[in-house]
Amino acid sequence: MGDQIQTKRENQKKPSVRMLAYQTILRVKTGGAYSNVLVSQVINRYIPDERDRGFYTELVYGTLENLIFLDYVIQKFIKTKLDKLEPARRIILEMGLYQIRYMDSVEDFAAVFEMVELMKKIEPKTKAYSFINGVLRSVLRDKKAFEIDVKDPVKRLSVRYCVSTWIATTLVQQYGHRKAESILESLQKHPTMFLRVNPLKTSTEDLKKELEVKGVACDEVKGFPSMLKVSRLKSIEKNEEYLKGLYTVQDLSSQVCIKALGVKEADRVLDVCAAPGGKTTAIGEELKNSGEIVSSDAASNKLDLIRRAAKRLGIENVTVRAHDATVYEEQWDQAFDKVLVDAPCSGIGIIRRKPEIRYKSKQDFRMITTLQGKILKQSSRYVKVGGVLIYSTCTLNREENQEVVKEFLKKNKDFTLEEFEVEGLNMRATMAELLPDEGEWDGFFVAKMRRN
């Protein structure tokens, strides 16, 4: 009896899925939390039911991914400036509009009712719920509520595809309006999930069989023998095959980076800016526990992620170091056959995975190219004569990509660009630009250089 009472009390204390979604969005918008980290924490702690997990995840990510459009609609139905609206009321309206516009599983009247009830819980001593009810019902009555009436072509792209005007302007200036819109449209879609099969523990064929028995749809990827394209794979961190170290979730674009690096058994490799360790462990699998990998990152709190990933996968030749990549490390001077610089960047190529990037401004990245240049310069000093230097980012801003490489080569005549080939993509390039509208991958950039 006592156990039943305790369980009942715990259930009463447990927040509803919509309340959890609201709290998550609030922390991302006002507290600077990373959505992917926070969503994972909330799910593991509060949402054991798979159906509830799906609803929560869609509501959080869907709302965050469409804020600019949702705010545009809200502004049409309120008298005050949107920036003057209290954060709680604004988020409740955004959540409500997202459910009305995009979630077919939620009836319109139910979306309004649930948001009104949620507002009552958040502000029980005010009549804010009446305001929420009025705005959402006004939207339902207006057949043109979700139409976009913006004449400026760049601002229209910003509203339509929910990116900051800086991102829209950057893409239009560098790729042209038509291509920019194609890129932005692709970044609205859900990303494809790829698994990198760990050859130290299994084969692609064997893993495919194991996953298919459990209902996971698997397809081999032409030209990438260690990759599987999958769907219907859920609860990855609790998945038996994952825990055994049989695979890692990694986008196809990262494999292009590893192919360009071209490691061989017994190579000594340095991976700077390495956390959380996806490329470090990919290199480790290529080396088959021969040679050595030094995996470094300035964020000492993230180094354990690299260690845990290497241990799970059975990779034993990784040394993890806390190191600021802008600072010269004398003991590494010309000590490595291959050096990988996967540099910090604006992340435009992965905004569908990290929705908070959508709303970044130029000011947020005003010193980024200077930082990238410093990291590339210091890291180049660690490459042996005849060795390879890779510079990569997950952005589509050419100022952070081609221009950084050109500036580096102008000042460092002992390095030259070198062509590399990726058979699976029919690609031969010295600087490869992977655009997300041209294949099932994230936006990515890779440049290969050799020290002469």
Side-chain angles (χ1 to χ4, degrees):
M1 184 67 177
D3 290 341
Q4 292 176 346
I5 293 172
Q6 181 65 27
T7 301
K8 187 175 181 181
R9 287 174 179 170
E10 289 175 356
N11 289 337
Q12 288 173 343
K13 292 178 183 178
K14 180 183 173 182
S16 69
V17 174
R18 283 184 172 85
M19 177 62 83
L20 289 169
Y22 161 77
Q23 292 170 343
T24 302
I25 295 167
L26 179 66
R27 286 187 60 188
V28 171
K29 288 186 69 176
T30 64
Y34 290 106
S35 58
N36 57 331
V37 175
L38 192 53
V39 165
S40 179
Q41 290 173 347
V42 170
I43 284 176
N44 289 333
R45 184 172 181 181
Y46 295 108
I47 314 179
D49 183 77
E50 196 168 285
R51 186 175 178 181
D52 285 346
R53 287 183 176 199
F55 182 88
Y56 163 81
T57 303
E58 181 180 355
L59 184 53
V60 170
Y61 281 126
T63 302
L64 289 173
E65 288 167 359
N66 290 278
L67 286 176
I68 291 178
F69 173 67
L70 297 173
D71 285 347
Y72 170 79
V73 176
I74 292 169
Q75 187 64 80
K76 292 196 287 186
F77 291 90
I78 63 173
K79 296 179 181 179
T80 59
K81 289 284 186 182
L82 197 63
D83 291 341
K84 302 294 183 182
L85 197 61
E86 292 86 343
R89 300 177 190 188
R90 182 170 174 174
I91 292 171
I92 293 297
L93 287 175
E94 290 164 348
M95 290 172 61
L97 287 182
Y98 180 77
Q99 291 170 80
I100 291 169
R101 177 63 170 171
Y102 298 105
M103 296 185 74
D104 295 335
S105 61
V106 181
E107 296 288 347
D108 291 348
F109 74 89
V112 175
F113 174 80
E114 292 291 351
M115 291 301 98
V116 168
E117 292 302 302
L118 188 56
M119 193 75 253
K120 289 178 181 178
K121 293 176 182 176
I122 295 167
E123 293 187 19
K125 296 182 180 180
T126 72
K127 292 188 177 182
Y129 68 88
S130 180
F131 167 73
I132 299 298
N133 184 64
V135 173
L136 293 180
R137 290 191 179 280
S138 295
V139 170
L140 291 179
R141 288 193 295 268
D142 191 337
K143 294 182 179 180
K144 296 183 178 181
F146 294 105
E147 291 184 6
I148 300 173
D149 184 19
V150 178
K151 293 181 180 180
D152 183 279
V154 174
K155 288 184 179 178
R156 185 177 177 84
L157 285 181
S158 173
V159 174
R160 171 67 181 83
Y161 297 105
C162 297
V163 294
S164 65
T165 53
W166 171 69
I167 292 177
T169 301
T170 297
L171 293 178
V172 169
Q173 288 176 345
Q174 296 181 11
Y175 296 93
H177 191 280
R178 181 177 295 179
K179 186 64 173 177
E181 182 161 15
S182 177
I183 290 169
L184 289 170
E185 184 177 9
S186 72
L187 291 173
Q188 287 290 89
K189 300 173 183 176
H190 288 293
T192 303
M193 180 180 286
F194 292 97
L195 306 184
R196 189 188 78 227
V197 182
N198 181 7
L200 301 177
K201 294 191 173 187
T202 188
S203 67
T204 302
E205 183 181 358
D206 287 345
L207 179 62
K208 184 174 184 288
K209 288 178 181 177
E210 284 191 53
L211 293 175
E212 285 178 337
V213 167
K214 297 183 177 181
V216 179
C218 300
D219 292 306
E220 295 182 22
V221 184
K222 185 179 179 181
F224 294 86
S226 64
M227 299 294 285
L228 285 174
K229 174 184 170 183
V230 301
S231 59
R232 301 199 300 270
L233 178 60
K234 300 177 180 179
S235 303
I236 292 169
E237 292 182 356
K238 296 180 180 179
N239 181 274
E240 182 182 1
E241 288 75 21
Y242 175 84
L243 294 172
K244 287 180 179 178
L246 304 189
Y247 68 82
T248 296
V249 178
Q250 189 173 55
D251 189 70
L252 203 61
S253 59
S254 295
Q255 283 298 298
V256 174
C257 184
I258 301 304
K259 285 182 177 292
L261 190 62
V263 295
K264 299 176 182 177
E265 290 188 31
D267 272 349
R268 191 168 190 232
V269 184
L270 173 64
D271 182 5
V272 301
C273 311
K279 295 181 182 65
T280 288
T281 53
I283 294 166
E285 291 168 3
E286 291 283 324
L287 288 175
K288 300 176 183 176
N289 276 328
S290 69
E292 181 188 4
I293 309 164
V294 176
S295 184
S296 69
D297 201 282
S300 56
N301 61 315
K302 294 182 179 180
L303 297 181
D304 202 43
L305 294 173
I306 304 174
R307 294 189 186 97
R308 292 205 303 267
K311 183 178 180 180
R312 179 178 64 82
L313 297 166
I315 298 169
E316 301 169 352
N317 59 343
V318 176
T319 302
V320 180
R321 283 279 308 273
H323 176 67
D324 182 346
T326 64
V327 178
Y328 174 62
E329 183 67 46
E330 186 175 2
Q331 65 174 314
W332 291 347
D333 191 87
Q334 296 194 41
F336 295 93
D337 301 289
K338 311 281 167 63
V339 174
L340 170 60
V341 179
D342 191 38
C345 66
S346 57
I348 296 173
I350 57 169
I351 59 177
R352 58 189 170 191
R353 298 183 189 274
K354 296 183 178 181
E356 52 269 23
I357 294 174
R358 291 178 175 274
Y359 312 110
K360 298 292 186 180
S361 67
K362 185 176 183 178
Q363 188 66 17
D364 293 317
F365 300 106
R366 60 189 177 88
M367 297 298 289
I368 193 70
T369 55
T370 301
L371 174 65
Q372 291 163 340
K374 285 181 179 179
I375 292 173
L376 186 56
K377 169 60 180 174
Q378 298 295 11
S379 300
S380 71
R381 300 170 74 177
Y382 311 139
V383 182
K384 292 178 180 179
V385 174
V388 169
L389 174 65
I390 296 291
Y391 175 78
S392 65
T393 74
C394 55
T395 190
L396 301 175
N397 181 7
R398 289 171 173 169
E399 291 180 5
E400 302 174 55
N401 295 340
Q402 290 92 332
E403 295 307 315
V404 168
V405 173
K406 289 176 183 177
E407 186 66 21
F408 169 77
L409 292 172
K410 188 188 301 183
K411 297 176 180 178
N412 297 272
K413 301 299 183 181
D414 53 336
F415 281 87
T416 55
L417 286 168
E418 180 169 290
E419 191 173 70
F420 63 94
E421 184 176 6
V422 183
E423 292 180 7
L425 304 182
N426 296 318
M427 175 191 291
R428 292 182 68 90
T430 57
M431 292 193 285
E433 193 176 60
L434 278 76
L435 301 179
D437 63 327
E438 296 178 359
E440 294 180 283
W441 48 68
D442 292 334
F444 207 78
F445 173 81
V446 183
K448 180 175 183 177
M449 294 163 276
R450 188 174 292 276
R451 187 168 197 169
N452 301 309

